[in-house]
Amino acid sequence: MEKKIAVISPSTTLTQKITEELKNQSLDIKVKEAYNKEAVYEVEELVLKGIKVIISRGNTAKILRSHFDIPIVDIKHTFFDCYNAYTRAKLYSSKIAFLATSYGFEKILKKSIKFLNGVEIIPIDTTNKDDIDNKLMELKNKGIKVAIGGLSMERKIKEIGIKYFMTEVEIDSIREAINEALHLLKIESEREEKNRELTNKYEMINSIFNCVSEGIISIDQNGEITNLNSDAEKLFGSNLLGKNFLQILNNREITNAVNNRKSVNSLIIYYNNTSFVTNIEPIRLDDSCLGAVITVQRSQKIQTMDQKIRYSMLKKGHVADKNLNDIIGNSNVINSVKTLAKKYAYVNSTVLILGETGTGKELFAKSIHNLSNRKDAPYVAINCASFSPNLLESELFGYVKGAFTGALNEGKAGVFELAHGGTIFLDEISEASLDVQLKLLRVIQERKIVRIGDDNVIPIDVRIIAASNKDLKQLIKQGAFREDLYYRICVLELKIPPLRERKEDIPDLIRHFIYKGNTNVSSITNKAINFLQSEEWPGNIRQLGNVMERLMVICDNDTITSDDINDTITSDDINDMLDNRSKIDFVIENQENCNVSEVSLNRREDELKRHYDNDDITEVELIKKILIETRGNRRLAAEKLGISTSTLWRKIKKYADNIDDDFLKIVRYKPR
């Protein structure tokens, strides 16, 4: 710590004594010998190096105090300093003069004069050349033979032939000065530490003050602004400190609230054609009011934040994570659809996407959203075939507390409400009941929704993209789909071609599936590609992807060959598999974007039985048939059945006695 102290010595004798004392105390304090301007120059450099306290003496200490605002400790003159110097000088001559170059030295000399027989006290201003010359002449005229003073006058006195003695300093004065300097340094260090703490607190408070998402303004009891953050400056302008905020706003409600010392929450005000949400909180101290804190925020900003909150709530599986670059293929037919989708993205009209199962309808829906000006807003997808009519209505429009048995206590927002500002994708819209279709029609027409069990109307701003793998015009003729809803959703129509109409894209799709397969397989032969390219693929891209997954699992090498296909899947087998797959694809597709647990196994069994054209098939026969198709792959079988793998395993154990041993080997089940 002592390294932040330095000594500026104005005399050689002081330099010697203080150096010796510092050595005795083992203190690492720099000592510089200088006076007047030279002393100022020395201290300038010392301060730059971090010196906080200076020890000096007499006039030099006085000069340093006038130039610097750091503590300057004066090594005080004492009676013994004067008397000891006088005793030494008297041995040389009785004509002695003390040169008082500082007020402190002069003061102690005058107190000691009665003990200093016959001496002259000559005050000298060492910064005034004329005064120095006059005093030197006075010394000669008075016949002074010996002069006593500091380093500043030594050379000039010797030049006029007068003997010169340096004033000595008592060791106690040196020690006292060192102790005082150490004490002042400690105080200075503590002060700096407190300043740092206060600065850190101020910076922290200031950062908090400026990072909140609203403008904050404090005013005194007269309405004058005492502080404001950067957001408030952006809203109302800079250089507002000291100005009357009540006069700036000119709002009667705020003025009354401040004058009456009342708290106000969510007050809507208008300033410069902009609406703000304002809160006011009085600042009270005991029984007096010191002013108020006012927070303001643009209404539009609150709406934007609300939208972001809704969006963040939906991030778990409800974001548009695809774009047109994710649509594999460069055939003319698919490129023309991509071009049309890009055009549709730049407008807000409702889009109807038509295409067979597995063609990638939602992939195009997500791409349209991500190209639109709504790309930063929510994208919400719902599969209309995954819910019963009543459940679908609650999912679409939401409900309030107690709306029906089983409703959540806090109610629930529907997907239209959650998609506010963004896009909603209504997949398999053909499966919605006529009642739900009617309500959808009203929402599209009025852009408003009402939660089930509520009478409050909620405005919504959503773009609707619908999709169907069925012929809606045919359904209209059958009375299963509303014609007026059809014309509302089919403002822009996008037809996705089946894979059999874009077979030139199959090689690219195959390589894509291999790349994404995360297996040892890294390539496929051209002969194998030609074989797969020759198939019709009624299940389209999803079906091709499933077959490729099967081949990559079964393949023993890093390259799929035609032999792999022939050895593992015969031509008849693949055709049968493709045919069966096409019958159940709609069931699996209907499970996208919903929780499987919400669809009962009984309903899934009915759908599977119906599409296998066999209403008499039992549950065990159905499970066995699906497991044979998947070659014992329980994960794929559970997916087709719409149940979890653990549920499937329990059923296998349940029906183990009714299933032959060869089949149990396929599923790797060992009866106890």
Side-chain angles (χ1 to χ4, degrees), residues 440-573:
L440 280 173
L441 178 64
R442 289 176 180 170
V443 170
I444 295 172
Q445 288 175 332
E446 300 174 7
R447 300 290 167 172
K448 297 175 182 177
I449 61 106
V450 177
R451 289 187 181 187
I452 297 174
D454 198 6
D455 55 5
N456 291 325
V457 176
I458 303 173
I460 57 164
D461 171 25
V462 296
R463 183 186 192 178
I464 298 172
I465 301 178
S468 176
N469 62 359
K470 294 184 178 179
D471 187 342
L472 294 182
K473 291 183 179 179
Q474 185 63 33
L475 292 177
I476 292 172
K477 292 178 182 179
Q478 297 170 2
F481 199 82
R482 293 183 64 95
E483 185 176 15
D484 48 4
L485 177 60
Y486 172 79
Y487 289 116
R488 279 290 182 182
I489 62 175
C490 192
V491 177
L492 302 175
E493 185 178 86
L494 192 68
K495 291 184 177 180
I496 313 300
L499 191 54
R500 61 183 173 274
E501 294 180 8
R502 44 179 292 221
K503 287 191 174 183
E504 58 266 46
D505 291 331
I506 289 179
D508 287 338
L509 288 165
I510 289 172
R511 294 185 183 95
H512 170 75
F513 291 132
I514 291 175
Y515 176 74
K516 295 289 186 180
N518 195 26
T519 67
N520 293 328
V521 175
S522 60
S523 61
I524 184 170
T525 65
N526 289 328
K527 187 175 180 181
I529 290 176
N530 290 338
F531 178 87
L532 295 173
Q533 197 171 7
S534 66
E535 296 299 328
E536 289 300 307
W537 302 109
N540 295 292
I541 298 169
R542 183 184 291 112
Q543 186 180 3
L544 173 61
N546 289 340
V547 170
M548 286 303 303
E549 182 179 352
R550 180 179 180 183
L551 287 171
M552 285 187 287
V553 171
I554 294 173
C555 181
D556 294 327
N557 303 309
D558 63 354
T559 301
I560 297 173
T561 67
S562 59
D563 290 336
D564 292 319
I565 299 175
N566 291 328
D567 290 344
T568 57
I569 308 175
T570 66
S571 179
D572 289 340
D573 285 340

Side-chain angles (χ1 to χ4, degrees), residues 1-6 27-29 50-55 70-73 177-193 196:
M1 186 172 72
E2 67 268 17
K3 289 184 178 181
K4 295 184 184 246
I5 301 174
L27 294 174
D28 187 10
I29 294 177
I51 294 298
K52 302 295 184 183
V53 180
I54 295 292
I55 300 174
I70 64 174
I72 308 294
V73 178
I178 292 172
N179 291 337
E180 184 179 353
L182 290 170
H183 179 67
L184 290 173
L185 181 61
K186 182 180 179 182
I187 294 173
E188 183 70 13
S189 298
E190 291 175 352
R191 184 182 66 82
E192 287 183 350
E193 181 62 28
R196 277 194 295 270

Side-chain angles (χ1 to χ4, degrees), residues 149-162:
L151 186 63
S152 60
M153 294 300 298
E154 181 182 21
R155 182 177 59 81
K156 292 184 178 296
I157 295 299
K158 289 181 177 180
E159 285 177 354
I160 62 173
I162 296 177

